[in-house]
Amino acid sequence: MGIKVLFLYPNTYGMNMLPPAIATFSAILKREGHKISVFDTTYYSTDHGNNSDGTKEETLNVVPFSKEMIKRGLIPKKTRWQDDIIKQIDEFKPDLIGLSSTEDMWELGIKLLEQIKYYIKKNKTPVIAGGVFPTFAPDICIDHELVDMVCVGEGENTLIDLCKKIEKKEDFLNVTNIWIKQDGKIIKNSITKPVDINKNPIIDTEIFEDKRLYRPMAGKVYKMFPVETIRGCPFTCRFCNSPDQARLYKGLGHNFYRKKRMDLVQKELKHFKDVHKVEYMYFWADTFLGMSKKELDEFCEIYSEINLPFWMQTRPETITDYNIKKLSEVGLHRISFGVEHGNEEFRARILDRRWKNKDIIEKLKIPHKYGVAFSVNNITGFPTETKKLAFDTIELNRHIDADNANIYTFIPFHGTPLRKMCEDLGLIDHKTITKCNTMSPQLSMPQYPPHEIDEIRKCFSLYVKFPKNRWKEIERAEKNDKEGNRIFKLLKQEYLETYMPKPDADPHGGSEDFEKVENPYCDIPEIRDDLKKGYADEMV
């Protein structure tokens, strides 16, 4: 008959791509005869830092919500998550609770568990935590009283075995890939080989509410699904968890980097288009172009039949005139490139990224040649970095004609080589749980203190876009005082009017009618009163 599994997905407003891991687990467990439900906090006001209730600190690269977003209902819920999770668990009555969490959402996930503690304790319902954070900080995760098990590594086979044993009322102390508490001790079971992703079913989207299937992209809103082509990454960026994932499985004699067969990718794409009427595809591979010319040609032949716009992320060194031309002909709409830092020596030594700036600049001339828009992602606040080095990142971005250039504060996540470096340098304690949703610097370094990191992040786009004869003005705008904030607001308005598209603008030419308003919610009676609570009028 199967069991009932409730997945908890702690997430904040604005991070609204549906989680492919939970969608995959749901499809697998339903195939095994189990019943699945999910509690997802994305559209709740959770009071969990930046973007948790739609609010956003003063920054650039934001535009007002478009009318289409409001029409699609991509706005915060009016109900309280505390009430809704109790109602859901009392109605669903799960036999197993799975908390799927990133590190920065862990504390929110714990809030969810504590809200339903009465049910967990009364029914002795086992709780398993999984994800990258539990994999690389299992000691921290299993330490909480409501967490019985932690999944270390991939969860597909683990959940199949665990649910089967719970259904049969058998002991599950020896299920692979889990740490489990017993009589005050922790049993650490072995990790099995990586999952054969070619055996996974098509993801299950039916467990999510309809609004979770939509996502803003370049000022428009699309029904958009994530598509897996690759799991893992062939590169070794030291701020990413992929190197440690690879090392974890290599130590067991396995390769974590895997590719899905193109015929299965084709089947999934056709299913999304024909059955779910998807309008846009989102390829969530770390490096989409980690493929051969033969694989690229095969993908393009397949995708020519899909004929929908799509997004991908990759590295500058993976693109060529040939592959961008081919991809643009079958629907490539936007690309996100990871550049990360502008100083070549620092980038190679600290980040393990060894490309020359001149090569990055030349490669990033290719997308616009074929009408493909792209964004460039950068990071500042790395260990041993300085504000002077951060200006090398600004300088590199001034030579790249990106449609959007972002900069993020470095976050030392568990499971990344740079986390270990930060711990070794005494910049952070192993037990410290990091949060990227606050955007605040989490390292206090004498050579690059938090207020300087904030200054670079605040004015990065101004430095990149405005001529250098404005830099003294921008430097004054960095300061978080009355005069600095006044100058920043004036520069921000100029920047938005000069460089940012209207929310409803078509980046490839033409635009829909758009009436700029201070807050687009103000014309909606049902939520007009909620403006006083700080609901957002802006979004990345």
Side-chain angles (χ1 to χ4, degrees):
M1 294 294 294
I3 67 168
K4 294 180 179 180
V5 181
L6 173 65
F7 286 108
L8 304 181
Y9 184 59
N11 193 40
T12 53
Y13 188 69
M15 306 293 290
N16 60 326
M17 173 51 63
L18 68 86
I22 290 179
T24 299
F25 296 153
S26 179
I28 290 171
L29 294 180
K30 282 184 176 180
R31 186 175 62 185
E32 297 289 316
H34 306 295
K35 295 180 180 178
I36 311 299
S37 185
V38 62
F39 186 81
D40 176 1
T41 65
T42 300
Y43 282 100
Y44 286 98
S45 175
T46 55
D47 191 25
H48 189 67
N50 186 48
N51 265 345
S52 64
D53 60 359
T55 59
K56 197 170 185 66
E57 62 182 355
E58 192 82 347
T59 186
L60 295 173
N61 290 327
V62 296
V63 293
F65 275 132
S66 68
K67 292 178 180 178
E68 186 181 1
M69 291 173 66
I70 299 167
K71 183 179 179 181
R72 299 263 196 169
L74 304 187
I75 54 179
K77 290 176 180 286
K78 293 178 66 65
T79 57
R80 298 172 71 249
W81 69 265
Q82 294 92 336
D83 300 328
D84 288 355
I85 192 173
I86 289 173
K87 180 180 178 182
Q88 185 167 336
I89 199 165
D90 285 343
E91 291 178 352
F92 186 63
K93 296 180 173 55
D95 304 298
L96 173 68
I97 297 172
L99 172 60
S100 179
S101 177
T102 56
E103 180 168 352
D104 58 322
M105 292 295 113
W106 177 254
E107 292 178 347
L108 176 56
I110 292 302
K111 287 183 181 179
L112 300 184
L113 288 177
E114 289 174 345
Q115 187 68 16
I116 55 175
K117 180 178 179 178
Y118 75 95
Y119 181 91
I120 295 170
K121 293 292 187 181
K122 176 183 176 182
N123 298 283
K124 297 182 179 180
T125 307
V127 174
I128 183 170
V132 176
F133 180 52
T135 290
F136 291 110
D139 56 322
I140 296 175
C141 296
I142 204 165
D143 192 48
H144 194 275
E145 62 162 332
L146 295 178
V147 177
D148 302 297
M149 296 168 279
V150 168
C151 181
V152 179
E154 295 179 306
E156 286 96 328
N157 293 333
T158 299
L159 286 172
I160 290 173
D161 295 343
L162 179 62
C163 290
K164 187 178 296 183
K165 287 183 177 293
I166 292 174
E167 179 184 5
K168 294 182 178 180
K169 295 181 170 50
E170 296 177 352
D171 186 292
F172 46 81
L173 293 175
N174 63 348
V175 172
T176 57
N177 288 42
I178 64 170
W179 286 20
I180 185 169
K181 295 174 185 173
Q182 185 191 38
D183 301 328
K185 297 180 180 179
I186 297 174
I187 298 172
K188 302 177 183 180
N189 290 306
S190 61
I191 300 174
T192 56
K193 65 181 181 179
V195 170
D196 183 352
I197 60 175
N198 291 312
K199 293 183 179 179
N200 280 348
I202 293 174
I203 63 171
D204 174 27
T205 61
E206 294 179 358
I207 56 171
F208 297 96
E209 60 184 327
D210 190 61
K211 70 167 68 176
R212 291 293 274 114
L213 308 180
Y214 292 86
R215 188 182 192 279
M217 178 64 77
K220 293 184 179 295
V221 177
Y222 300 91
K223 190 173 189 180
M224 185 186 305
F225 282 12
V227 181
E228 183 178 41
T229 54
I230 294 171
R231 189 175 296 189
C233 183
F235 296 100
T236 55
C237 303
R238 301 185 72 235
F239 54 85
C240 180
N241 62 59
S242 288
D244 279 14
Q245 290 272 26
R247 275 191 287 273
L248 175 66
Y249 280 93
K250 187 175 181 180
L252 304 170
H254 303 295
N255 185 6
F256 187 77
Y257 181 58
R258 289 146 290 166
K259 298 178 181 180
K260 184 177 285 188
R261 292 201 331 254
M262 281 297 171
D263 63 308
L264 297 178
V265 173
Q266 180 182 29
K267 180 181 178 182
E268 192 166 331
L269 290 168
K270 285 181 64 64
H271 176 80
F272 289 159
K273 181 179 180 180
D274 296 343
V275 176
H276 295 287
K277 310 303 179 187
V278 170
E279 301 161 346
Y280 198 112
M281 298 298 182
Y282 181 101
F283 291 97
W284 56 284
D286 290 336
T287 306
F288 180 79
L289 288 177
M291 61 175 70
S292 67
K293 181 177 178 295
K294 179 181 178 182
E295 290 168 329
L296 175 84
D297 290 342
E298 187 178 359
F299 171 82
C300 289
E301 183 178 350
I302 287 170
Y303 205 85
S304 64
E305 300 177 8
I306 303 301
N307 194 31
L308 290 174
F310 68 92
W311 171 94
M312 69 176 188
Q313 60 184 0
T314 194
R315 291 163 59 118
E317 58 264 49
T318 65
I319 70 169
T320 64
D321 197 276
Y322 177 82
N323 59 28
I324 297 302
K325 180 177 185 295
K326 290 275 291 186
L327 292 169
S328 69
E329 291 171 349
V330 298
L332 176 59
H333 178 238
R334 292 186 75 87
I335 311 172
S336 289
F337 289 106
V339 169
E340 319 311 353
H341 204 279
N343 183 280
E344 292 178 358
E345 188 275 333
F346 183 88
R347 192 169 62 231
R349 178 170 54 86
I350 301 298
L351 310 186
D352 196 22
R353 298 190 67 139
R354 304 178 183 279
W355 248 46
K356 299 293 184 183
N357 284 352
K358 64 180 180 63
D359 295 326
I360 293 173
I361 292 168
E362 285 303 308
K363 286 286 189 177
L364 294 186
K365 292 178 182 177
I366 296 174
H368 284 171
K369 182 178 175 181
Y370 296 103
V372 178
F374 69 94
S375 61
V376 171
N377 297 324
N378 306 274
I379 303 174
T380 193
F382 289 112
T384 75
E385 190 184 4
T386 64
K387 189 172 182 179
K388 182 179 178 181
L389 281 170
F391 270 89
D392 290 342
T393 303
I394 289 170
E395 194 62 46
L396 174 58
N397 279 264
R398 286 177 61 84
H399 288 84
I400 298 169
D401 185 25
D403 295 274
N404 193 30
N406 299 303
I407 194 162
Y408 303 96
T409 304
F410 168 68
I411 308 294
F413 288 123
H414 285 84
T416 65
L418 283 188
R419 172 67 184 227
K420 179 67 165 56
M421 179 181 179
C422 290
E423 291 180 8
D424 290 345
L425 290 173
L427 297 173
I428 196 166
D429 182 78
H430 170 71
K431 293 286 188 179
T432 300
I433 298 173
T434 56
K435 297 189 184 77
C436 69
N437 61 308
T438 65
M439 297 301 290
S440 300
Q442 310 209 354
L443 302 179
S444 183
M445 301 180 289
Q447 85 289 350
Y448 194 15
H451 75 271
E452 290 188 353
I453 296 172
D454 282 336
E455 289 168 356
I456 288 293
R457 195 174 59 81
K458 177 182 179 182
C459 292
F460 174 79
S461 295
L462 299 177
Y463 280 120
V464 169
K465 288 294 188 181
F466 283 17
K468 286 191 174 182
N469 62 13
R470 306 285 300 278
W471 276 23
K472 280 293 182 183
E473 192 179 353
I474 298 170
E475 184 179 7
R476 186 64 187 89
E478 289 181 2
K479 306 308 175 186
N480 190 26
D481 56 23
K482 185 176 180 179
E483 180 64 10
N485 290 332
R486 183 188 71 81
I487 295 172
F488 178 79
K489 287 182 178 180
L490 291 173
L491 293 175
K492 176 182 177 180
Q493 186 61 37
E494 182 181 347
Y495 174 89
L496 293 175
E497 291 175 354
T498 307
Y499 300 108
M500 290 294 287
K502 293 177 179 179
D504 292 308
D506 182 347
H508 297 287
S511 65
E512 300 173 358
D513 291 334
F514 175 73
E515 178 183 353
K516 189 173 182 181
V517 291
E518 284 300 313
N519 196 310
Y521 292 162
C522 63
D523 293 327
I524 304 176
E526 301 91 294
I527 58 177
R528 184 183 293 128
D529 293 340
D530 290 334
L531 296 180
K532 297 176 183 178
K533 300 176 183 177
Y535 287 167
D537 63 355
E538 291 185 335
M539 187 171 184
V540 169

